[in-house]
Amino acid sequence: MPLLYTIGKLTVAPVLRMVFRPTVQGLENVPRSGGLIFASNHLSVADEIFLGTVVPRHLAFWAKSEYFKGKGLKGTFHKHFLTGLGAIPVERGGGRAALSAFDAAVPALRAGEQVAIYPEGTRSPDGRLYRGRTGAARLALAAGVPIVPVGVSGTDKAQPIGARMPRPGTGPIVLRFGKPLDFTGRSDDRSSLRAMTDELMSEIQKLSGQEYVPRYAPPKRDEPATGATPV
């Protein structure tokens, strides 16, 4: 576990659990060892904070690559902070550049790491669950690891879009973990990836209780430093 992430687990995580008292269900479904992908709905920047708080092992999130290349005091801080958390750089432009993040994640997953992905590709603009992109299924097949579907609720009230920090006293935060989905042996052609992704989104919808929208969520200009996968 990266040093800065370890420090956060020992200091920040207990405070968040004490202040916000998130409800956690189905954590017994999460394997205690081996590479694993967490695929969650995405309501708020706080999703990442609370997911990392309740999952025992190190959980790697994606971070915009420019945060690893910044100059000056602020740029140096961002670089060392995200590196210390074990974040994975990703190009936001899509295409081959974005897939380079998957190339970096595959060996980490094969080595037993855990990675968090938001298949919707961005935060939900209205609290509904939108069509998933196929990156999670593609990564699971490439690394040969299962996907744990996650349903999160309440984070959009604790830290709505535009808020800098989560705010206590805004209502319950709930994280539900489903049983792992093993797509080993499935084809990686476009139709198969779509079918696996739709299966994954169905499980996420059952856990989150959101209304499902069968189209992609509109992108946001203010996407945070860490967050959803672009493919």
Side-chain angles (χ1 to χ4, degrees):
M1 189 178 294
L3 178 59
L4 188 57
Y5 196 95
T6 301
I7 293 173
K9 291 290 285 185
L10 295 174
T11 57
V12 178
V15 173
L16 289 174
R17 287 195 295 268
M18 180 179 64
V19 173
F20 291 91
R21 298 186 180 279
T23 298
V24 182
Q25 299 174 358
L27 197 59
E28 67 276 6
N29 292 322
V30 179
R32 296 185 178 182
S33 62
L36 192 63
I37 297 170
F38 290 89
S40 174
N41 61 318
H42 200 16
L43 297 172
S44 165
V45 178
D47 297 336
E48 298 156 0
I49 298 173
F50 288 101
L51 190 57
T53 294
V54 303
V55 172
R57 292 192 286 145
H58 173 245
L59 188 56
F61 292 92
W62 310 91
K64 291 192 293 186
S65 62
E66 53 260 42
Y67 283 85
F68 291 84
K69 304 172 184 176
K71 298 180 180 180
L73 184 62
K74 185 176 180 180
T76 300
F77 170 79
H78 281 150
K79 177 181 178 181
H80 288 287
F81 178 75
L82 292 173
T83 301
L85 291 176
I88 300 173
V90 59
E91 298 287 346
R92 300 295 298 182
R96 180 61 246 174
L99 290 176
S100 65
F102 282 66
D103 295 338
V106 168
L109 287 166
R110 289 177 176 171
E113 284 280 1
Q114 298 181 129
V115 171
I117 287 182
Y118 298 101
E120 290 171 277
T122 186
R123 287 167 292 168
S124 172
D126 54 17
R128 297 184 294 175
L129 181 69
Y130 283 79
R131 190 182 196 214
R133 300 182 182 273
T134 59
R138 185 184 296 116
L139 182 58
L141 290 177
V145 300
I147 303 177
V148 171
V150 184
V152 179
S153 62
T155 52
D156 53 334
K157 295 180 178 62
Q159 188 174 0
I161 294 174
R164 298 182 65 87
M165 296 291 291
R167 300 175 298 192
T170 54
I173 293 175
V174 182
L175 298 95
R176 298 183 177 92
F177 297 84
K179 294 182 179 180
L181 300 176
D182 188 355
F183 295 131
T184 303
R186 301 273 286 269
S187 173
D188 62 354
D189 62 82
R190 182 176 298 180
S191 61
S192 295
L193 289 170
R194 182 73 262 158
M196 286 181 279
T197 302
D198 290 343
E199 181 181 341
L200 170 62
M201 298 309 291
S202 176
E203 293 302 314
I204 293 175
Q205 192 276 331
K206 293 175 185 176
L207 294 166
S208 70
Q210 294 167 282
E211 177 187 347
Y212 181 71
V213 181
R215 64 176 184 272
Y216 294 124
K220 296 182 181 63
R221 294 180 180 179
D222 63 336
E223 201 63 45
T226 57
T229 55
V231 293

